[in-house]
Amino acid sequence: MNIDANVKRESPIEITCFRRLVQPVESSKEVIGMSTVEQNRIVEGTNVEVLPIAGRIGAEIRGVKLAGDLDGAQAAAIREALLKYKVIFFRGQNHLDDAEQESLAGLFGAPVAHPTVPIKQGTDYLLELNSAHGGRADSWHTDVSFVDAYPQASILRAVVVPESGGDTVWANTAAAYEHLPEHLRNFVDGLWAVHSNEYDYAAQKPSITEEAARYYKEVFTSTKYETEHPLVRVHPETGERTLLLGHFAKRIIGLSSADSANLLTLLQNHIIRLENTVRWRWAAGDVVIWDNRATQHYAVNDYGDQQRIVRRVTVDGDVPVSIDGRKSVTTIITPSQPAAASIEEAS
Ligand SMILES: O=C(O)CCC(=O)C(=O)O
Ligand SMILES: [Fe+2]
C-alpha cells in the first residue's frame, strides 16, 4: 500500500490503520474473568495480545505461535503492531527451525539474502551471527542501508543466549524526527547522505578482533556499495517521516567533511536518546521483528566470551522516497573480489 511521498505528517492512514489495536473500554466491561485492561490489549477477532513496552517503541505480542501459515487476522494484527510499535517481541517460539523462520518471513513480503555475507549452509536466506566468530553488531545501524531498496523488516531468532548480557536495543527513528526541535527538522528535511558498506568500521567500535576485521574487509565489503538516501525518508505505509542514518551513513552530501561529521553525530545522538529506545533481554526461542524503515538497533557487547548465536532473515524493501518525492539511488557497485568466495563463516 504505497502512498504519496508528499503525504502530510498527520496522515489519516496512521489513524485508521491502528484503530483496531486499542478497543474502546466499553466493549470489554462485560467480559467475565478478564480485566478491562487485559481485554483492551487483545486485537479484535484474534487471540493476539499486544503489550507496549517503552513509551515510544516496542511491544510484546502474546497469544501467537509463529509460523508461515498464520491465519489472515493474526497476520494482519501482527503487521499492524509492527507498524505502530516498530519492534515487536515474541517469547517462547522454540518450535521454529531455520526453514520455518524463513517461511515466517514470507508473511511480511519476499525474504532476501544479505548482498555480501554468505547465507548459513542449508538455508535460502538466513544470516547467522555467532559471537565466537565476531558476530557482534555493537554499533547503531539500520540493516543494509548501503543499498537503495534495503530490507523493510528483519526477523531475528535467539538460538544461544548468554547467562547475562547480550541484550539488543532499538531506537524509533520516526519518534526521533518528531521530537527534533522544529528548526532542526526544517534544516534536515532537504539533506541527503551517502551510505556505504565501506564505512569507518573500526571507528564505530571500542575494540575489534583480528577475525572480525578480516571478515569485514574480505566478506562484508567483498562488493562495495554506495547509495544516496534522503536524511528524511517518508515511510511508505504509515506516512511518517523517519531519520535515515546509522553507521553506514558516511557523509552528508554538500557539506565539508568536518560539518558532515558534526551533523551526523548531532543527529545520531538525537536518534538514540533513551526516550526513543527499547531494550530486550533475550531468552533462547525469542523472536523479534523490526520495521527496518523506522528503526536502528544495537547489540550490546557486554558478555565477554560467553556464547551468543542469533539468526536473521530479512524481508525485501522498497526504494526510499524523500519529502519532495525523490528516490534514493545506488551510485556505486564495485564487483566482488575473488578472495571472498573462500570464506565460509557467516557471522
Ligand atoms: O545480535 C543482535 O541482537 C542484532 C544483530 C543485528 O544487527 C541484526 O541481526 O541485524
Ligand atoms: Fe542489524
Side-chain angles (χ1 to χ4, degrees):
M1 106 175 153
N2 277 359
I3 55 170
D4 192 318
N6 291 314
V7 69
K8 285 204 306 238
R9 287 178 48 225
E10 306 293 328
S11 164
I13 289 177
E14 269 177 81
I15 297 154
T16 52
C17 207
F18 306 129
R19 190 165 289 148
R20 293 175 57 231
L21 273 177
V22 180
Q23 297 305 311
V25 172
E26 287 73 26
S27 68
S28 59
K29 279 188 175 155
E30 288 155 26
V31 177
I32 296 167
M34 186 182 278
S35 80
T36 309
V37 173
E38 279 167 346
Q39 175 65 5
N40 281 337
R41 294 169 175 159
I42 295 187
V43 179
E44 197 181 8
T46 72
N47 294 326
V48 177
E49 198 181 351
V50 180
L51 297 97
I53 303 176
R56 293 183 187 164
I57 178 172
E60 183 181 340
I61 311 283
R62 293 192 190 152
V64 179
K65 186 175 175 189
L66 289 173
D69 59 355
L70 287 184
D71 71 53
Q74 279 194 325
I78 290 171
R79 180 117 193 132
E80 283 185 16
L82 177 62
L83 291 173
K84 179 170 184 183
Y85 294 102
K86 319 302 187 203
V87 52
I88 49 178
F89 304 92
F90 301 81
R91 292 280 190 206
Q93 305 295 320
N94 308 70
H95 58 281
L96 289 177
D97 61 16
D98 294 345
E100 285 158 345
Q101 184 181 354
E102 291 182 322
S103 121
L104 170 66
L107 280 182
F108 296 87
V112 61
H114 193 278
T116 57
V117 178
I119 51 172
K120 180 177 179 282
Q121 235 178 10
T123 73
D124 293 323
Y125 307 102
L126 201 135
L127 176 84
E128 179 169 285
L129 287 133
N130 184 336
S131 60
H133 302 294
R136 298 172 189 246
D138 54 348
S139 63
W140 283 100
H141 63 285
T142 289
D143 287 334
V144 200
S145 72
F146 50 87
V147 300
D148 50 11
Y150 62 86
Q152 56 155 295
S154 297
I155 299 171
L156 192 64
R157 177 166 62 101
V159 179
V160 179
V161 171
E163 229 173 76
S164 58
D167 297 357
T168 307
V169 188
W170 287 262
N172 180 341
T173 57
Y177 178 84
E178 183 72 37
H179 289 87
L180 279 182
E182 194 184 348
H183 290 300
L184 212 39
R185 275 205 307 262
N186 295 337
F187 177 54
V188 299
D189 277 350
L191 292 176
W192 285 63
V194 174
H195 292 232
S196 177
N197 55 339
E198 198 177 46
Y199 62 104
D200 194 351
Y201 176 71
Q204 304 273 350
K205 302 178 182 238
S207 67
I208 39 173
T209 62
E210 219 171 276
E211 184 183 7
R214 190 177 69 101
Y215 180 80
Y216 169 76
K217 190 165 179 292
E218 295 180 0
V219 180
F220 200 80
T221 57
S222 56
T223 298
K224 296 180 179 67
Y225 293 87
E226 280 203 356
T227 295
E228 296 178 3
H229 285 304
L231 252 66
V232 182
R233 173 183 187 175
V234 179
H235 193 291
E237 290 185 79
T238 66
E240 291 168 301
R241 294 181 180 183
T242 63
L243 281 173
L244 173 46
L245 289 172
H247 68 199
F248 297 120
K250 263 173 68 154
R251 63 185 164 83
I252 296 175
I253 295 170
L255 300 189
S256 71
S257 55
D259 285 346
S260 168
N262 285 332
L263 187 54
L264 286 174
T265 303
L266 183 152
L267 293 170
Q268 188 62 28
N269 284 341
H270 272 281
I271 292 169
I272 63 172
R273 283 178 65 85
L274 289 177
E275 288 77 5
N276 296 329
T277 67
V278 64
R279 179 169 177 143
W280 187 248
R281 168 83 196 116
W282 291 96
D286 288 357
V287 169
V288 178
I289 306 175
W290 61 92
D291 183 338
N292 196 46
R293 301 162 295 190
T295 52
Q296 288 186 23
H297 53 283
Y298 181 112
V300 181
N301 186 4
D302 61 351
Y303 50 96
D305 56 8
Q306 295 180 78
Q307 205 186 13
R308 182 180 187 276
I309 298 176
V310 292
R311 295 185 184 149
R312 185 185 89 189
V313 179
T314 44
V315 180
D316 210 5
D318 42 13
V319 178
V321 178
S322 67
I323 295 165
D324 61 359
R326 288 165 56 210
K327 287 189 164 180
S328 299
V329 53
T330 295
T331 52
I332 297 177
I333 304 176
T334 308
S336 309
Q337 309 292 314
S342 65
I343 294 170
E344 283 176 5
E345 191 62 47
S347 57

